[in-house]
Amino acid sequence: MSDQQDSPASKPRVQINPPVFFGSAALIVCFVFLAMVAPERVGTFFGSVQEWITHSAGWFYVLAVATFLIFVVLLALSNFGRIKLGPDHSEPDYSYVSWFSMLFSAGMGIGLMFFGVAEPVMHYTSPPVGEPGTVLAAREAMKITFFHWGLHAWAIYAVVALSLAYFSYRQGLPLTIRSSFYPMIGDRIYGPIGHAVDIFAILGTMFGVATSLGFGAMQVNSGLAYLFGIPTTITVQFILIGIITAIATISVVLGLDGGIRRLSELNMILAVGLLAFVLVMGPTVFLLQTLTQNIGAYVADIVDKTFNLYAYEPTTWIGGWTLFYWGWWIAWAPFVGMFIARVSRGRTIREFVLGVLLVPVGFTFMWMTFFGNTALHMIMIQGITELGFAVAADTTMALFEFFEHLPLSTLTSLVATILVATFFVTSSDSGSLVIDMLASGGEEDAPVWQRIFWAVSEGIVAAGLLLAGGLGALQTASIASALPFTVIMLLMCWCLWRALHVEVIKRSTLRSAVLMPDVAHKPVSWKNRLSTMLHHPTKAEVLNFIQNTVKPALEDVAGELERRNMDVRVDQKEDGRVWLEVLHGEEIDFYYSVRPRTYSPPAFAMRDTKTRRGEELKYYRAEVHLSEGGQDYDLMGWTREQIISDVIDQYEKHLHFLHAMR
């Protein structure tokens, strides 16, 4: 690990990893070509694939998803939970509000709009087992809906996001899926194996996002048909995909902060407003009661539901629902996982897991209860049975048929259509950002044309899926593209656990190591010591100290290590930071850095009460950083011998850690 990675470089016109970019692009072009030329054959092939996966690989999906949930919960509860997704001194890049908004919008926004009414009603009228249209069927419908949209979905996202954030922001590896395999294959992640992993991730992301875009286009078309009488046809859906993809492209050009974050916050405002409307205008007390009961039933049945394959009651239902959802979430995992990782730098593993699992799931449970139970109340209590028939006939119309039986139906349907469109946009531009990072080898600021290319590709693939079989093709594409990536995710869990285990061992050995007594420090008078404590150095003072005291001390240590045939480097950046690296070949390298860090002085030290703000009111520290991040202690005022002694102390701890690892 080296600070040289941070050096700025001129931005080229093309930043791609050729094997990944051209390999994935070629496979996507082949699929689109086949879908356009022979849609019926492609549709038949999709049906055969889904049947095989449902019959032969369903158990694998179920066990894998259960493993992902158990894995992330154990991480949060263990000692690993205190580890930051970034250096120890890093802070989160986004506030909780922005973070939660982006999690929700990227994670499943379109899906909630599409299935919020449709799924509970469909399970009620056509349950996997039991008598339809009963109170028992209504309870089971909500339990199944909660199960499909609950902790399991977000645990899938969390596995990928944790792995990416840890290896990228804490270990300094590229922000790509391949980096997660470093503990297993080392530098071979940069070879054919790594290319194959990233290609699978791109294909899964492309088909996962295209599935959502297909759902979104179908539902926007239905909303426009309801509001303005526009016909519901494949041609209109193609036009909608083109228009919304163009809007997504504009958001892509604006970037993460200018486009995606603001659209995500707009989505949250509209979604919360729509949710509050349904709560107030619907059967409010009934909804609050059912929310409480639904959560309790979900918690009580979570183990049974997790492992239920209906082996004793054979049914094709599981392939069209549970396995579809697991495949959809897994196909989305590279996209949503990388996006979540990108916006979660600086958070601890425990904070991350609690935030990703509980906050979006809590909102999702409210959404499904308020929309789903209101729809069930309309059918069961109010006698509006035609709603059930309308949902069975056309799921894309479910939400708009639902609003027909509430006040202000035209306005709410318009808001819902806008919300689906903005979810469409955030899914597309977020997906474009992620695929571009995968195809460019982890570059977070690649040329805009590359992200535009992937945004357009997502729209074309969504159109191809609609042409090849509509809803059925969308479902099968998700399930099929997720199968190879499920294997990759299981290996990611193992690699992440191994890397975290190594880090915990290192921390433990650093605390328990017995060091040689320090004899290099010279006595310092208490007056000089007090003066040093109360002095607030300027930037120039700290830079001068680093240049004239710290750097020579590191060079002395490096020179002695070189005489002992060690591979060692000392380097410095323009901003003043200086570091020493001792390379250990196959074992973990030692890294010791001193860098200037700025602070605002405490109030008691600010003599000037004017409202001036600027560099003159700041002070600097010469802080020590190891490979794990900042160590929160200052070398300013230390002698050359004291600095050498500190370097040797830290290096001795590092050697003790390497010994413990052997």
Side-chain angles (χ1 to χ4, degrees):
M1 184 182 294
S2 169
D3 279 13
Q4 289 172 316
Q5 295 171 349
D6 299 333
S7 60
S10 58
K11 187 174 175 182
R13 287 188 172 184
V14 178
Q15 289 180 334
I16 62 172
N17 184 0
V20 176
F21 184 94
F22 293 112
S24 55
L27 290 171
I28 290 167
V29 168
C30 288
F31 164 78
V32 173
F33 176 76
L34 290 173
M36 298 294 183
V37 172
E40 292 183 0
R41 290 187 179 182
V42 172
T44 303
F45 172 74
F46 278 163
S48 301
V49 169
Q50 182 170 2
E51 183 179 353
W52 178 85
I53 291 175
T54 302
H55 183 265
S56 303
W59 63 271
F60 176 69
Y61 271 121
V62 167
L63 280 180
V65 172
T67 300
F68 299 147
L69 178 57
I70 294 169
F71 176 74
V72 296
V73 170
L74 287 178
L75 285 186
L77 297 177
S78 69
N79 289 334
F80 300 149
R82 294 194 295 267
I83 296 174
K84 276 195 174 184
L85 300 175
D88 287 339
H89 62 279
S90 59
E91 297 294 333
D93 294 332
Y94 298 97
S95 68
Y96 279 115
V97 173
S98 293
W99 187 47
F100 293 145
S101 298
M102 288 189 281
L103 291 182
F104 178 76
S105 295
M108 50 183 60
I110 288 179
L112 291 182
M113 299 296 296
F114 193 91
F115 289 105
V117 171
E119 182 168 352
V121 172
M122 292 176 76
H123 294 325
Y124 171 71
T125 57
S126 182
V129 292
E131 190 71 23
T134 63
V135 173
L136 183 62
R139 287 201 201 104
E140 190 65 20
M142 293 311 303
K143 287 196 286 188
I144 293 172
T145 302
F146 270 38
F147 174 61
H148 288 157
W149 292 85
L151 296 175
H152 295 74
W154 288 94
I156 291 169
Y157 296 158
V159 165
V160 178
L162 274 174
S163 187
L164 288 171
Y166 177 81
F167 286 106
S168 178
Y169 297 132
R170 193 160 182 90
Q171 301 294 337
L173 295 171
L175 189 62
T176 59
I177 303 294
R178 69 176 68 201
S179 297
S180 304
F181 292 88
Y182 193 85
M184 180 185 293
I185 60 176
D187 288 338
R188 282 179 291 175
I189 63 170
Y190 301 108
I193 297 175
H195 298 331
V197 168
D198 282 348
I199 287 173
F200 277 126
I202 287 176
L203 293 178
T205 301
M206 179 62 72
F207 287 109
V209 173
T211 299
S212 284
L213 300 188
F215 284 141
M218 294 164 67
Q219 195 167 26
V220 170
N221 191 178
S222 295
L224 295 176
Y226 174 82
L227 291 168
F228 307 112
I230 296 175
T232 304
T233 64
I234 194 74
T235 303
V236 173
Q237 290 163 16
F238 281 2
I239 293 172
L240 289 172
I241 288 174
I243 293 172
I244 301 180
T245 299
I247 298 172
T249 302
I250 296 172
S251 181
V252 161
V253 172
L254 293 175
L256 182 61
D257 290 322
I260 299 173
R261 179 176 63 83
R262 290 175 182 170
L263 273 174
S264 298
E265 291 171 355
L266 173 63
N267 287 347
M268 279 300 294
I269 293 170
L270 292 176
V272 169
L274 211 55
L275 191 69
F277 172 82
V278 174
L279 174 62
V280 173
M281 295 300 175
T284 307
V285 175
F286 174 75
L287 293 180
L288 296 176
Q289 290 173 335
T290 52
L291 175 62
T292 304
Q293 186 168 330
N294 290 344
I295 292 174
Y298 171 76
V299 173
D301 281 9
I302 189 169
V303 174
D304 178 65
K305 285 279 190 292
T306 296
F307 296 98
N308 188 6
L309 277 163
Y310 298 95
Y312 296 101
E313 305 151 304
T315 174
T316 59
W317 178 92
I318 191 172
W321 286 104
T322 302
L323 295 186
F324 159 65
Y325 275 121
W326 289 179
W328 194 10
W329 304 146
I330 292 169
W332 265 51
F335 150 49
V336 181
M338 184 174 288
F339 185 76
I340 293 174
R342 175 69 179 79
V343 300
S344 300
R345 184 179 187 273
R347 302 194 182 275
T348 65
I349 289 178
R350 182 170 295 118
E351 180 185 15
F352 174 91
V353 171
L354 291 176
V356 170
L357 287 191
L358 299 184
V359 175
V361 168
F363 188 89
T364 300
F365 284 176
M366 285 193 292
W367 186 279
M368 288 301 188
T369 296
F370 294 172
F371 280 80
N373 276 112
T374 300
L376 293 179
H377 187 275
M378 289 176 177
I379 298 171
M380 296 172 59
I381 309 300
Q382 298 174 240
I384 308 175
T385 54
E386 61 268 24
L387 177 59
F389 296 123
V391 170
D394 185 1
T395 52
T396 64
M397 286 296 295
L399 186 64
F400 306 106
E401 291 286 349
F402 168 79
F403 282 132
E404 182 70 28
H405 303 287
L406 290 175
L408 305 174
S409 59
T410 302
L411 176 61
T412 52
S413 296
L414 178 61
V415 172
T417 303
I418 294 172
L419 189 54
V420 172
T422 55
F423 276 135
F424 193 146
V425 172
T426 53
S427 296
S428 179
D429 57 15
S430 302
S432 306
L433 175 69
V434 167
I435 293 176
D436 186 42
M437 290 170 65
L438 288 169
S440 62
E443 290 291 335
E444 297 187 32
D445 191 26
V448 172
W449 75 263
Q450 293 176 203
R451 297 198 294 275
I452 294 174
F453 170 80
W454 292 115
V456 173
S457 298
E458 288 163 3
I460 293 174
V461 171
L465 287 172
L466 288 176
L467 190 65
L471 184 60
L474 292 171
Q475 291 178 329
T476 307
S478 288
I479 295 174
S481 63
L483 187 59
F485 195 72
T486 305
V487 179
I488 291 174
M489 285 183 63
L490 289 170
L491 294 174
M492 290 172 74
C493 290
W494 182 82
C495 290
L496 179 58
W497 186 275
R498 181 177 175 181
L500 292 171
H501 181 64
V502 169
E503 178 157 344
V504 168
I505 290 177
K506 181 174 182 180
R507 288 185 173 218
S508 176
T509 54
L510 291 179
R511 288 195 300 266
S512 62
V514 178
L515 305 179
M516 182 182 297
D518 182 10
V519 296
H521 293 188
K522 296 180 180 179
V524 179
S525 73
W526 67 269
K527 291 184 179 180
N528 289 338
R529 184 178 175 187
L530 185 61
S531 177
T532 301
M533 288 169 56
L534 296 180
H535 179 57
H536 295 92
T538 64
K539 183 177 183 180
E541 289 176 311
V542 171
L543 293 177
N544 182 66
F545 172 74
I546 291 175
Q547 180 66 35
N548 296 320
T549 304
V550 176
K551 187 176 181 182
L554 298 184
E555 289 171 342
D556 287 348
V557 175
E560 183 61 30
L561 291 173
E562 286 173 346
R563 282 192 286 274
R564 298 171 185 271
N565 298 318
M566 300 289 290
D567 189 359
V568 60
R569 303 171 187 167
V570 173
D571 209 342
Q572 188 171 15
K573 285 181 69 73
E574 293 180 359
D575 61 5
R577 71 184 79 172
V578 63
W579 67 90
L580 175 143
E581 278 186 292
V582 184
L583 307 181
H584 288 274
E586 295 295 322
E587 296 187 294
I588 299 173
D589 300 332
F590 173 70
Y591 174 84
Y592 183 101
S593 172
V594 179
R595 60 184 68 182
R597 189 173 178 190
T598 180
Y599 291 89
S600 296
F604 66 80
M606 295 177 65
R607 302 291 185 184
D608 191 347
T609 59
K610 296 180 181 178
T611 57
R612 293 181 299 120
R613 294 290 184 269
E615 289 298 320
E616 68 272 15
L617 294 181
K618 296 179 180 178
Y619 74 97
Y620 287 76
R621 285 161 46 108
E623 293 195 354
V624 174
H625 286 239
L626 303 179
S627 58
E628 296 79 23
Q631 300 302 296
D632 296 323
Y633 68 94
D634 180 20
L635 298 186
M636 192 64 188
W638 288 29
T639 65
R640 188 163 165 175
E641 290 76 16
Q642 289 172 325
I643 294 170
I644 291 173
S645 178
D646 187 61
V647 175
I648 294 173
D649 285 349
Q650 295 290 0
Y651 187 51
E652 188 172 2
K653 292 180 181 180
H654 184 77
L655 292 179
H656 183 72
F657 158 67
L658 295 183
H659 172 74
M661 285 298 302
R662 294 189 184 110

